Amino acid sequence: MRTMRTMRTMVTIAAMAMLAACSGAPEAPAPADPVALAKTSAAQILATVPKSLGGGVRITGAAAEGRTLTIALDGMDDWRGQYSDASMATTMKRGICFEPGVDALTKAKGLVRLQSRDTRGVALPPLLIDAC
């Protein structure tokens, strides 16, 4: 009788363990790797260049540097004027955050650096975007 009760208890415990293992509880997704995301985004963007963003502005290149995605732009003319970096970042995000992988990169704590040239080819100060 005691052996039967012990056996029943063991079967019950084993069944509970199996049900818990098969409960279907979702596992937390692996944290995104910003270095890998930057590389993937750069490759995807490079496959589409040159790409017009409107107003004569084009994406002409992209490169991954650690967790930073650098996007090269040209065609900017008097683009900053008297606006701050924060104001310009907000404006530029509207177009850049729709590029492949950019939103996921910023969510994974990666950065986007915009390297721009004006219509004469003169380099403009870089602009950083850290959130979409």
Side-chain angles (χ1 to χ4, degrees), residues 30-85:
D33 176 14
V35 174
L37 288 171
K39 287 179 184 178
T40 301
S41 296
Q44 290 175 327
I45 292 169
L46 279 173
T48 67
V49 298
K51 179 181 180 180
S52 174
L53 294 178
V57 177
R58 297 179 315 154
I59 296 176
T60 59
E65 302 165 15
R67 65 184 190 97
T68 301
L69 169 65
T70 300
I71 300 175
L73 304 168
D74 72 5
M76 304 288 210
D77 203 18
D78 192 27
W79 72 301
R80 284 196 188 192
Q82 57 189 309
Y83 298 102
S84 68
D85 284 355

Side-chain angles (χ1 to χ4, degrees), residues 10-34:
M10 289 176 64
V11 168
T12 302
I13 291 171
M16 289 173 59
M18 286 175 34
L19 286 173
C22 298
S23 68
E27 291 185 26
D33 176 14

Side-chain angles (χ1 to χ4, degrees), residues 94-110:
R94 292 184 186 125
I96 296 299
C97 285
F98 289 108
E99 291 303 312
V102 170
D103 185 47
L105 174 63
T106 60
K107 286 179 180 170
K109 306 296 185 213

